[in-house]
Amino acid sequence: ESRQYMLRSDAEAFYYSDADLRAVMPHQHDFYELLFFLEGDVTYMVEDTPYPLLPGDLLIILLLLLMSGDCQDDQNTAILTLVLYLFL
């Protein structure tokens, strides 16, 4: 699932695995995103800073920051947690 929005109004978490995704288009959220990277070869761009992710990395993206991703591997897996800012 590659949605860029929350289904719940407070917080949610989901397991994400994709064998076909090559890019995450530039976007931003009005909530925090916590990405716990499990496997693959992904570089996340937050604003103008690249973050090459390694298995076990935790990327915390603040609300309203522009982000995108470049996927180089055939299999990319992460656990995403989306948190509305009022609950932090």
Side-chain angles (χ1 to χ4, degrees):
E1 183 173 356
S2 61
R3 63 185 161 86
Q4 304 296 337
Y5 56 88
M6 289 178 63
L7 295 176
R8 295 175 42 120
S9 63
D10 52 3
E12 61 184 77
F14 56 93
Y15 176 84
Y16 179 80
S17 182
D18 197 321
D20 298 319
L21 186 66
R22 287 295 177 196
V24 177
M25 300 308 296
H27 65 283
Q28 61 188 146
H29 302 296
D30 59 353
F31 50 83
Y32 293 92
E33 180 175 325
L34 288 75
L35 187 146
F36 182 65
F37 189 66
L38 299 173
E39 70 175 324
D41 184 0
V42 174
T43 298
Y44 240 77
M45 184 73 77
V46 180
E47 292 294 317
D48 292 324
T49 304
Y51 295 93
L53 299 180
L54 299 172
D57 282 352
L58 175 65
L59 183 63
I60 300 171
I61 304 169
L62 303 178
L63 63 158
L64 300 179
L65 292 181
L66 186 63
M67 68 186 98
S68 62
D70 182 29
C71 308
Q72 298 298 321
D73 203 339
D74 289 337
Q75 184 64 39
N76 299 291
T77 305
I79 296 173
L80 290 177
T81 303
L82 311 176
V83 182
L84 190 64
Y85 66 94
L86 297 175
F87 291 89
L88 292 178

